[in-house]
Amino acid sequence: MQWIDIGVNLTHDSFDADRDAVIERARAAGVSQMLITGADLASSEAAVQLARAHPRTLFATAGVHPHHASQLQAQHLPALRSLLSRPEVLAAGECGLDYHRNYSPREAQLRAFEWQLQLAAECGKPLFLHQRAAHADFVALLRNYRATLSGGVAHCFTGTAAELEDYLELGLSIGITGWFCDERRGTHLAALAARIPARRLLLETDAPYLLPRDLRPRPKSRRNEPMYLPHIGAAVARARAESAEQCAAHTSAHARELFQIAALGAAS
Ligand SMILES: [Zn+2]
Protein backbone atom coordinates (compact mmCIF):
# COMPACT_ATOMS: atom_id res chain seq x y z
CA MET A 1 0.00 0.00 0.00
CA GLN A 2 1.24 3.47 -0.88
CA TRP A 3 -0.25 6.63 0.59
CA ILE A 4 0.37 10.26 -0.39
CA ASP A 5 0.24 12.96 2.29
CA ILE A 6 -0.84 16.10 0.39
CA GLY A 7 -0.28 18.49 3.34
CA VAL A 8 2.79 18.36 5.60
CA ASN A 9 4.28 21.49 7.18
CA LEU A 10 7.68 19.85 7.14
CA THR A 11 9.63 23.12 7.22
CA HIS A 12 8.12 23.83 10.67
CA ASP A 13 10.83 24.27 13.31
CA SER A 14 9.43 21.42 15.39
CA PHE A 15 11.03 19.14 12.76
CA ASP A 16 14.44 20.84 12.80
CA ALA A 17 16.06 18.24 15.04
CA ASP A 18 14.89 15.10 13.23
CA ARG A 19 13.44 15.98 9.82
CA ASP A 20 15.18 13.15 7.96
CA ALA A 21 14.02 10.61 10.55
CA VAL A 22 10.44 11.90 10.18
CA ILE A 23 10.64 11.37 6.40
CA GLU A 24 12.09 7.88 6.89
CA ARG A 25 9.41 6.89 9.42
CA ALA A 26 6.73 8.07 7.00
CA ARG A 27 8.18 6.04 4.15
CA ALA A 28 8.47 2.98 6.38
CA ALA A 29 4.75 3.41 7.19
CA GLY A 30 3.86 3.42 3.48
CA VAL A 31 3.63 7.19 2.97
CA SER A 32 5.67 7.19 -0.19
CA GLN A 33 5.27 10.81 -1.31
CA MET A 34 4.46 14.10 0.42
CA LEU A 35 3.53 17.64 -0.53
CA ILE A 36 5.28 20.19 1.71
CA THR A 37 3.12 23.21 2.46
CA GLY A 38 4.45 26.73 1.94
CA ALA A 39 2.70 29.37 4.05
CA ASP A 40 4.65 32.50 3.13
CA LEU A 41 7.50 33.36 0.77
CA ALA A 42 10.24 32.16 3.13
CA SER A 43 8.60 28.84 4.00
CA SER A 44 7.67 28.28 0.34
CA GLU A 45 11.32 28.74 -0.63
CA ALA A 46 12.31 26.36 2.19
CA ALA A 47 9.73 23.82 0.95
CA VAL A 48 11.25 24.01 -2.54
CA GLN A 49 14.74 23.41 -1.14
CA LEU A 50 13.51 20.42 0.85
CA ALA A 51 11.78 18.99 -2.22
CA ARG A 52 14.95 19.44 -4.27
CA ALA A 53 16.88 17.46 -1.66
CA HIS A 54 14.37 14.57 -1.89
CA PRO A 55 13.45 14.31 -5.56
CA ARG A 56 10.40 12.19 -6.46
CA THR A 57 9.49 11.81 -2.78
CA LEU A 58 8.88 15.37 -1.58
CA PHE A 59 7.15 18.16 -3.50
CA ALA A 60 6.24 21.71 -2.51
CA THR A 61 3.45 24.24 -2.63
CA ALA A 62 4.18 27.98 -2.83
CA GLY A 63 1.86 30.60 -1.48
CA VAL A 64 0.85 32.96 1.30
CA HIS A 65 -1.55 31.73 3.99
CA PRO A 66 -4.40 34.13 4.86
CA HIS A 67 -2.85 34.60 8.32
CA HIS A 68 0.16 36.19 6.56
CA ALA A 69 -1.81 38.00 3.86
CA SER A 70 -0.92 41.48 5.07
CA GLN A 71 2.77 40.69 4.42
CA LEU A 72 2.10 40.11 0.72
CA GLN A 73 2.60 43.31 -1.25
CA ALA A 74 2.49 43.90 -5.00
CA GLN A 75 6.29 44.08 -5.09
CA HIS A 76 6.49 40.45 -3.88
CA LEU A 77 4.43 39.03 -6.72
CA PRO A 78 7.35 38.44 -9.13
CA ALA A 79 9.09 36.33 -6.45
CA LEU A 80 5.93 34.31 -5.87
CA ARG A 81 5.43 33.89 -9.61
CA SER A 82 8.98 32.58 -10.01
CA LEU A 83 8.49 30.12 -7.10
CA LEU A 84 5.29 28.89 -8.76
CA SER A 85 7.12 28.22 -11.99
CA ARG A 86 9.59 25.85 -10.28
CA PRO A 87 9.19 22.18 -11.24
CA GLU A 88 9.16 21.12 -7.56
CA VAL A 89 6.12 23.33 -6.89
CA LEU A 90 2.94 21.40 -7.65
CA ALA A 91 0.30 23.78 -6.25
CA ALA A 92 -0.40 27.43 -5.49
CA GLY A 93 -1.02 27.92 -1.78
CA GLU A 94 -1.60 27.61 0.98
CA CYS A 95 -3.96 30.46 0.13
CA GLY A 96 -7.53 31.41 0.91
CA LEU A 97 -9.50 33.19 3.63
CA ASP A 98 -9.61 32.79 7.42
CA TYR A 99 -12.10 35.04 9.21
CA HIS A 100 -11.97 32.88 12.34
CA ARG A 101 -8.86 34.60 13.63
CA ASN A 102 -8.42 37.54 11.24
CA TYR A 103 -4.66 37.64 11.90
CA SER A 104 -4.60 39.71 8.71
CA PRO A 105 -7.43 42.18 8.02
CA ARG A 106 -10.12 40.89 5.66
CA GLU A 107 -9.26 43.38 2.92
CA ALA A 108 -5.65 42.16 2.91
CA GLN A 109 -6.82 38.54 2.84
CA LEU A 110 -9.15 39.16 -0.11
CA ARG A 111 -6.43 40.98 -2.04
CA ALA A 112 -3.77 38.30 -1.38
CA PHE A 113 -6.20 35.51 -2.28
CA GLU A 114 -7.19 37.17 -5.55
CA TRP A 115 -3.55 37.73 -6.52
CA GLN A 116 -2.84 34.06 -5.90
CA LEU A 117 -5.88 32.96 -7.91
CA GLN A 118 -4.50 35.02 -10.79
CA LEU A 119 -0.99 33.57 -10.41
CA ALA A 120 -2.31 30.00 -10.21
CA ALA A 121 -4.23 30.58 -13.44
CA GLU A 122 -1.17 32.11 -15.09
CA CYS A 123 1.11 29.24 -14.05
CA GLY A 124 -1.46 26.51 -14.69
CA LYS A 125 -1.08 25.00 -11.22
CA PRO A 126 -3.88 23.71 -8.98
CA LEU A 127 -4.71 25.50 -5.72
CA PHE A 128 -4.04 24.39 -2.15
CA LEU A 129 -6.87 26.17 -0.36
CA HIS A 130 -7.54 27.16 3.25
CA GLN A 131 -10.93 28.43 4.37
CA ARG A 132 -12.26 29.05 7.84
CA ALA A 133 -15.39 31.04 8.74
CA ALA A 134 -15.29 32.72 5.33
CA HIS A 135 -17.23 30.33 3.12
CA ALA A 136 -19.40 32.84 1.21
CA ASP A 137 -16.55 35.19 0.20
CA PHE A 138 -14.31 32.21 -0.55
CA VAL A 139 -16.78 30.53 -2.89
CA ALA A 140 -17.66 33.83 -4.58
CA LEU A 141 -14.02 34.51 -5.51
CA LEU A 142 -13.45 30.94 -6.68
CA ARG A 143 -16.53 31.13 -8.89
CA ASN A 144 -15.12 34.28 -10.55
CA TYR A 145 -11.89 32.50 -11.43
CA ARG A 146 -13.20 29.00 -11.95
CA ALA A 147 -12.91 28.99 -15.75
CA THR A 148 -9.20 29.90 -15.57
CA LEU A 149 -8.14 27.46 -12.84
CA SER A 150 -6.55 23.99 -12.98
CA GLY A 151 -8.53 22.59 -10.05
CA GLY A 152 -7.51 22.57 -6.43
CA VAL A 153 -8.04 21.08 -3.02
CA ALA A 154 -10.08 22.46 -0.12
CA HIS A 155 -7.48 21.39 2.42
CA CYS A 156 -8.45 20.24 5.91
CA PHE A 157 -12.15 20.08 5.12
CA THR A 158 -14.16 20.27 8.35
CA GLY A 159 -17.33 21.88 7.04
CA THR A 160 -21.00 21.12 6.51
CA ALA A 161 -22.84 19.11 3.85
CA ALA A 162 -23.81 22.35 2.07
CA GLU A 163 -20.20 23.55 2.02
CA LEU A 164 -19.10 20.18 0.67
CA GLU A 165 -21.68 20.46 -2.13
CA ASP A 166 -20.40 23.93 -3.02
CA TYR A 167 -16.81 22.67 -3.27
CA LEU A 168 -17.72 19.63 -5.33
CA GLU A 169 -19.81 21.81 -7.62
CA LEU A 170 -16.79 24.11 -8.06
CA GLY A 171 -14.75 21.10 -9.18
CA LEU A 172 -12.57 21.11 -6.07
CA SER A 173 -11.06 18.08 -4.40
CA ILE A 174 -11.50 17.55 -0.66
CA GLY A 175 -8.58 17.11 1.77
CA ILE A 176 -9.32 15.14 4.94
CA THR A 177 -7.01 15.41 7.98
CA GLY A 178 -6.89 13.83 11.43
CA TRP A 179 -9.72 16.21 12.40
CA PHE A 180 -11.78 13.27 11.10
CA CYS A 181 -10.59 11.24 14.11
CA ASP A 182 -11.62 13.88 16.68
CA GLU A 183 -14.53 12.57 18.73
CA ARG A 184 -15.35 16.13 19.95
CA ARG A 185 -15.67 17.94 16.64
CA GLY A 186 -15.04 15.55 13.73
CA THR A 187 -17.82 12.96 13.95
CA HIS A 188 -20.07 14.74 11.41
CA LEU A 189 -17.40 14.13 8.78
CA ALA A 190 -17.96 10.35 8.68
CA ALA A 191 -21.31 10.70 6.90
CA LEU A 192 -19.88 13.33 4.54
CA ALA A 193 -16.81 11.23 3.63
CA ALA A 194 -19.09 8.68 2.01
CA ARG A 195 -20.45 11.42 -0.28
CA ILE A 196 -17.08 12.42 -1.71
CA PRO A 197 -16.40 10.76 -5.08
CA ALA A 198 -13.23 8.63 -5.04
CA ARG A 199 -11.72 10.89 -7.70
CA ARG A 200 -12.10 13.96 -5.45
CA LEU A 201 -10.79 12.63 -2.14
CA LEU A 202 -7.31 13.38 -0.78
CA LEU A 203 -5.67 12.67 2.58
CA GLU A 204 -3.32 14.83 4.62
CA THR A 205 -1.89 14.98 8.13
CA ASP A 206 -1.25 18.78 8.28
CA ALA A 207 1.65 17.75 10.55
CA PRO A 208 2.91 18.97 13.01
CA TYR A 209 -0.66 20.12 13.69
CA LEU A 210 -3.80 18.02 14.23
CA LEU A 211 -2.39 14.88 15.83
CA PRO A 212 -5.24 12.30 15.54
CA ARG A 213 -6.80 12.12 19.00
CA ASP A 214 -7.55 8.41 18.85
CA LEU A 215 -4.02 7.09 18.29
CA ARG A 216 -3.29 4.21 20.69
CA PRO A 217 -0.92 4.10 22.38
CA ARG A 218 -0.95 7.88 22.56
CA PRO A 219 2.38 9.31 21.35
CA LYS A 220 4.36 11.07 24.09
CA SER A 221 4.80 14.08 21.86
CA ARG A 222 1.80 16.15 20.75
CA ARG A 223 3.54 16.60 17.41
CA ASN A 224 1.82 15.04 14.43
CA GLU A 225 3.89 13.26 11.77
CA PRO A 226 3.20 12.07 8.23
CA MET A 227 3.67 8.46 9.41
CA TYR A 228 0.17 8.71 10.93
CA LEU A 229 -1.49 9.22 7.54
CA PRO A 230 -2.45 5.50 7.20
CA HIS A 231 -4.29 5.81 10.54
CA ILE A 232 -6.42 8.63 9.09
CA GLY A 233 -6.82 6.68 5.85
CA ALA A 234 -8.08 3.62 7.71
CA ALA A 235 -10.72 5.70 9.54
CA VAL A 236 -11.86 7.34 6.31
CA ALA A 237 -11.98 3.95 4.57
CA ARG A 238 -14.22 2.55 7.34
CA ALA A 239 -16.62 5.49 6.95
CA ARG A 240 -16.75 4.86 3.19
CA ALA A 241 -17.25 1.09 3.60
CA GLU A 242 -14.15 0.33 1.59
CA SER A 243 -10.84 -1.35 2.41
CA ALA A 244 -7.74 0.60 3.42
CA GLU A 245 -6.11 -0.79 0.26
CA GLN A 246 -8.86 0.68 -1.91
CA CYS A 247 -8.67 4.01 -0.08
CA ALA A 248 -4.88 4.18 -0.46
CA ALA A 249 -5.15 3.30 -4.14
CA HIS A 250 -7.76 5.87 -5.14
CA THR A 251 -6.51 8.73 -2.95
CA SER A 252 -2.97 8.22 -4.28
CA ALA A 253 -4.19 7.97 -7.86
CA HIS A 254 -6.16 11.19 -7.44
CA ALA A 255 -3.23 13.02 -5.82
CA ARG A 256 -1.06 11.98 -8.79
CA GLU A 257 -3.73 13.17 -11.20
CA LEU A 258 -4.43 16.54 -9.57
CA PHE A 259 -0.82 17.49 -8.76
CA GLN A 260 0.77 15.60 -11.69
CA ILE A 261 3.03 13.56 -9.43
CA ALA A 262 4.93 10.78 -11.17
CA ALA A 263 4.48 7.40 -9.49
CA LEU A 264 7.55 6.09 -7.71
CA GLY A 265 9.18 3.55 -9.96
CA ALA A 266 7.79 5.16 -13.11
CA ALA A 267 10.32 6.41 -15.64
CA SER A 268 11.11 10.09 -15.13
ZN1 LIG B 1 -4.80 25.47 6.50
Side-chain angles (χ1 to χ4, degrees), residues 229-250:
L229 191 74
H231 173 87
I232 299 168
V236 171
R238 277 194 298 278
R240 293 171 59 82
E242 62 190 17
S243 67
E245 285 80 3
Q246 287 169 320
C247 191
H250 69 69

Side-chain angles (χ1 to χ4, degrees), residues 13-121:
D13 56 15
S14 68
F15 293 121
D16 283 352
D18 64 346
R19 194 167 280 108
D20 285 342
V22 168
I23 296 167
E24 261 325 298
R25 280 199 287 276
R27 290 164 81 163
V31 182
S32 56
Q33 293 170 307
M34 298 165 238
L35 210 55
I36 311 308
T37 315
D40 58 17
L41 285 176
S43 68
S44 297
E45 177 64 42
V48 170
Q49 295 307 327
L50 201 54
R52 286 188 69 181
H54 300 267
R56 300 163 63 79
T57 299
L58 302 188
F59 304 91
T61 75
V64 178
H65 190 285
H67 289 344
H68 308 300
S70 52
Q71 295 167 19
L72 185 64
Q73 304 296 326
Q75 77 235 35
H76 302 129
L77 296 181
L80 187 50
R81 184 182 287 109
S82 103
L83 275 169
L84 281 167
S85 63
R86 299 286 291 268
E88 298 86 359
V89 173
L90 304 188
E94 179 165 359
C95 61
L97 301 173
D98 191 321
Y99 296 171
H100 180 63
R101 305 218 190 263
N102 282 317
Y103 287 139
S104 284
R106 290 185 183 193
E107 309 74 63
Q109 292 191 39
L110 288 161
R111 185 185 58 185
F113 187 28
E114 194 153 7
W115 275 337
Q116 292 180 87
L117 289 168
Q118 290 162 359
L119 286 176

Side-chain angles (χ1 to χ4, degrees), residues 135 157-165 188-189 192:
H135 184 75
F157 177 76
T158 60
T160 63
E163 290 174 346
L164 177 64
E165 288 310 316
H188 72 290
L189 294 173
L192 298 184

Side-chain angles (χ1 to χ4, degrees), residues 192-210:
L192 298 184
R195 292 163 60 165
I196 303 170
R199 289 191 55 187
R200 296 287 194 85
L201 178 64
L202 298 166
L203 299 173
E204 47 174 336
T205 56
D206 207 24
Y209 313 113
L210 298 178

Side-chain angles (χ1 to χ4, degrees), residues 159-195:
T160 63
E163 290 174 346
L164 177 64
E165 288 310 316
D166 283 343
Y167 293 162
L168 292 176
E169 192 273 319
L170 272 165
L172 297 178
S173 301
I174 309 297
I176 299 284
T177 62
W179 192 290
F180 194 87
C181 307
D182 187 329
E183 81 291 352
R184 302 164 307 171
R185 54 184 188 173
T187 49
H188 72 290
L189 294 173
L192 298 184
R195 292 163 60 165

